Amino acid sequence: LMRATTERVSFFSFLFSASGPAEVPMMSPNGSIPPIHVPPGYVSQVLEDNTGVRRVVVTPHSECYPPSYSPALSPSHHIHPPYLTHPHFIPQLYCEIKCESVIILALQVSNVQSRSALVSWTSVSVSGSSGRVPYCSYELQLKDKGRDGKYKVMAIGDILYTFWITLDLTVCVFYRVSTVCNSVKGPSSDARAFTTHSAPPDTPLPPRLSHRTKSSLTLQWKPPADNGSKITNYVLEWDEGKKNSIFREYYVGHQRHCKVMRLCPAVGYTFRVAALNDIGTSGFSTEVVFNTTGSLPQTSLPPRLAQAGPSWVRLEWTRPNSCSIEEVVTYTLEMQDETKVLNSPLLQLFMKSVSLCFNSHCFSFTINSEPPQDDGGSGDLTYVLEISEGNLEESQWMTLYRGPERKHLCEDLKPATSYFLRLSCVNVGGQSLCSDDLTVRTRIPPPGRCQPPSIVGDVKHKEMTLQWDGPLCGEESENVEFSLEMCAMEEGLEPMEVYCGSKTECTVGNLLPGTTYRFQVCAANSAGYGPYSESVEISTAAGPPGQCSPPAINVTSHTCADVTWENKVSSGIDISEYRLDWGCDLDSLELVYSGTETCFQIFNLEASTDYCCRLQAVNQAGAGPYSDLVTCRTPAAAPDVVSGFRHVDHPLNPTENEPFSHSTCLALTWDEPHCNGAEITSYSISMGDRIITTRSVTGHIIRDLLPDSEYSLQIRAENEMGPGPFSQTLTVRTRPLPPSPPRLECAAVGPQSLKLRWGFSSRSQLTDDTTYILQMEDRNQRFVVVYRGPSHTFKLQRLSESSRYRFRIQAVSEAGEGPFSDTYTFCTTKSLPQTLKAPRVVQLEGNACEVTWESIPPMRGDRISYVLQVLGGRDSDYKQVYKGDETSFQLSGLQWNTDYRVRVFACRRCVDTLQELCGSFSPSAHFNLRRSDATLAVEADITRVPIGKTLSDEQFAGLIVFGVASLSVLMAFLLQLLI
């Protein structure tokens, strides 16, 4: 709202900030100027500026001012004070601009509801020469299509530019907005049309009682306004006679009448009704109570004398046991063969010196009197009977009788009127005192004859509305009820009461179309029923036909059926056509025949299928109700033609006992056809002159065929009804024979690898697209694919040493997969010991040193030995100085200042083959013995003895050589000292 207010202020500021004619921008996508309607005396011009914007200038001839305009206020921002409190207030700008009209630019209708809509508009003032903006008011006008077609003013506002309509609207309502400036009406806006939404139905009137018995109540109700959506159902609820304000559903349906059954006699039941449409449910009607009729009461016991006086008695009696507590019971007390009806459970009769006796006529009664106890000494008495009507205090007494008789008949009295009587005696001595007043009320006569019923409105085919005039009753008469009886014009039918109530109008429903009924009405009051009026005969309008008898179906084959029906007697009008609906179930029924014939043949049915149909008769008054649904089932038949007959590369259910070859076998499959009510027992495949019978499965393998040959195949299904038609011909071709497996060889072997190769003995079998599949047996003795491709060699890595492996190979070409070769077994060799690291050398005392190296654990149970070689001095080759299981060795008798190199390798002693496998040499370790100052000149020990080990032959020979050399050196040293 604030944003709209800001835009509105800026817009009006632009229009009214300058004096002179108002320039109104009029934009359109195609550059054209929309037509502007101006009042008489206005001149409009179209101007175009340098930017290409076209404007309309409207020049008026009079000046307009707002009612509260003051020259002392700012001419461009004056706000009229009364609008400050308006709920839709928006600041209104006024300028000193001449204007006579306000143009409505846009009228919008939004937020349309079922009974309301939001109307908004935008207005622009067309100024004159004075530059003042007029004081304007807006009128919102409404026009309904269904009414007189005239616009009616729905709202008037000063600066109001939006309005919320909350009236009772209907569909297709037009709105129009116009402006008034200083009592001069401006041009109207373009009309906007819209349709209000549908709504739930109005709350219906309470149901009416049309007929009742001791165990049933027949109710009727009128449809309320549906508010744009057709009423689909009515909901009738009742309290089950429990009077606990808890209602339960008794009937839900589209009928507007219902008969409530299995009720108790003389019990009141509360009902209410609601209507439903596609939008929602209406409210429930007001609650209404209807009572069932009661049983005839038992014979009452004789009245009992409760109390007696000199001239009055008090009588009592007991309520019959057969009457329920809720049932209203009236009593009739008879006395002296004359009847007086008293509607009270406890009757009191009080008689004084004057006794009263009613006559059979309602407007008279007889007065009896006893002579006074004291006649005054004179036997001649004259009785004076006085009567007064109405209130005793305001009444005037008048003499009704004067004479010697002690009995008088009072006649020509008003019915249902209270009278006061008193009696006195007159003799020669004068007049006695009056007796006590006796109050008497005349009875009400039964009503007179009513006028015959007459028709109200049009007579429909199932109901009519009747009205009548009651008898002329006086002002003192009690409430009168009417009883309307109806009897069909057929012999032997008793009239039935169709209405009983106080109204003089009744709608009679559930009638037969085109039928004549006789009606008569009588009135009743507390005195009883009056005579019936003259009877009147009224015929209902011709209506749609009644319900047709169910048609008969004769199934002639599994695809055809004949439907026949009887000629239906119409309801006053000849039948114009019959409509036959046919389908598999109630939801799929479709119209298959419409005409005057009484038979129809249906084709293209499916075998062993349930079908149903229903019939409807139509005349000029409309369509009658459908007949009861009739069902049938077509017989079974041979299966339909097989579809989806095709050749597949792999069988759906292969068997291990029978290998599959694409060169000599064909794998076929197909879709199961419709069995037509009998289960398929087998399939027949035609291959030339050969017929192959299969089971009821949808796949088969044909074996023992010729390679690279073409075959034409057909298939059909069979059941107990016989074979079906053959399918279309399927042409297939077997593949050529696949290649035989190649010969497999081991090209290279290692402790953890095997290199295999293969090839054909005949080069004619080699093709470029041949693929080889190499399989190896795993630990579970299953062959798994280790290579698939066109190569002729393959190397397997990461194998276990000294292990056996089984292989087989297969060749695959366009002809298919060839057989697997025989199983080949290849073994890996044992692993050589690993190459050791360079040994470590530590110099000892004298000319000795200790050599150590790393150890290797046993390999698969085989022991590991080590070989140590030394290179030094004048030797050009390494010499073995140690072989054993130890990982260290001491060298002694070495020469000083001489370079030595040592290396070591490991050997594996195979237990199973007694073979010794030696590894590679380790890197050599270099060392040089240096003599220290504390070293002795003579070294006595020149023997090299391995620690804790016996010498081998090579070691022993080396030791002798080393000892001789050492001895020679020692002797030379001694001789030098001696000289």
Side-chain angles (χ1 to χ4, degrees), residues 438-461:
L438 175 65
T439 303
V440 181
R441 182 176 179 85
T442 56
R443 292 185 298 176
I444 300 175
R449 183 185 298 272
C450 298
Q451 297 296 323
S454 60
I455 294 295
V456 178
D458 297 332
V459 178
K460 300 180 181 179
H461 65 281

Side-chain angles (χ1 to χ4, degrees), residues 314-319 328-333 340-348:
R314 180 186 180 93
L315 303 178
E316 295 179 352
W317 51 86
T318 305
R319 181 184 182 91
V328 178
V329 180
T330 59
Y331 304 95
T332 301
L333 179 64
K340 178 176 177 58
V341 180
L342 298 177
N343 295 327
S344 174
L346 184 60
L347 177 64
Q348 296 184 12

Side-chain angles (χ1 to χ4, degrees), residues 569-629:
V569 178
S570 181
S571 299
I573 305 178
D574 293 338
I575 292 177
S576 59
E577 65 175 350
Y578 292 99
R579 296 175 182 175
L580 179 64
D581 291 347
W582 184 272
C584 293
D585 51 30
L586 186 61
D587 296 333
S588 63
L589 287 175
E590 295 181 354
L591 181 65
V592 296
Y593 172 75
S594 176
T596 58
E597 300 294 332
T598 58
C599 61
F600 183 70
Q601 193 172 34
I602 301 176
F603 299 95
N604 300 325
L605 301 180
E606 296 182 1
S608 187
T609 304
D610 292 324
Y611 289 97
C612 61
C613 68
R614 62 184 181 184
L615 186 67
Q616 182 185 41
V618 182
N619 60 15
Q620 295 179 0
Y626 283 101
S627 67
D628 294 336
L629 208 63

Side-chain angles (χ1 to χ4, degrees), residues 9-21:
V9 170
S10 62
F11 182 68
F12 277 96
S13 299
F14 169 73
L15 291 179
F16 306 137
S17 60
S19 62

Side-chain angles (χ1 to χ4, degrees), residues 669-692:
T669 185
W670 55 88
D671 298 333
E672 183 178 358
H674 195 277
C675 66
N676 290 331
E679 184 179 357
I680 295 176
T681 57
S682 63
Y683 294 92
S684 298
I685 302 175
S686 173
M687 187 175 62
D689 298 336
R690 180 182 174 187
I691 298 295
I692 303 172

